[in-house]
Amino acid sequence: ARMVVHEGLLRLREQDRKHGTEYVKTLECYLRHHQNAVQTSKELYIHRSTFLYRLEKIKAVMDSSLEDPDEILYLMISLYLLEQRG
């Protein structure tokens, strides 16, 4: 699974591991809520501005704007594969 997972997502996981951030969880929630910042921040129990700050950090680590539908699909599949792998 690791060979087909989005490279940016792997960098994000490494960032979480090294610094104790929850960027992968945040990204997963954001994608699950169809890129809706309000719903995502409610589910994560954080202020919307805190979420937007995290999202900018996620974009920087992944080197992505998170606007390409094909990339969004690739990320969702990658998250699924990582979840299945444990």
Side-chain angles (χ1 to χ4, degrees), residues 1 4 8 10 23 26 32-33 36 38 51 65 69 75 80-81 84:
V4 296
L10 295 175
Y23 292 158
T26 302
R32 190 172 54 251
H33 287 291
N36 184 304
V38 174
F51 165 72
S65 66
L75 284 167
Y80 175 79
L81 290 172
Q84 294 303 310

Side-chain angles (χ1 to χ4, degrees), residues 21-71:
T21 55
E22 294 187 329
Y23 292 158
V24 173
K25 177 182 175 182
T26 302
L27 176 63
E28 184 177 16
C29 186
Y30 180 60
L31 296 177
R32 190 172 54 251
H33 287 291
H34 306 285
Q35 299 168 288
N36 184 304
V38 174
Q39 288 180 337
T40 303
S41 59
K42 281 183 182 180
E43 183 175 323
L44 295 173
Y45 299 106
I46 59 176
H47 194 273
R48 185 175 173 272
S49 62
T50 302
F51 165 72
L52 293 175
Y53 174 80
R54 277 191 200 175
L55 186 60
E56 289 306 312
K57 291 291 190 179
I58 289 167
K59 289 177 180 181
V61 170
M62 293 182 65
D63 191 27
S64 170
S65 66
L66 297 177
E67 293 180 5
D68 179 18
D70 292 334
E71 183 178 23

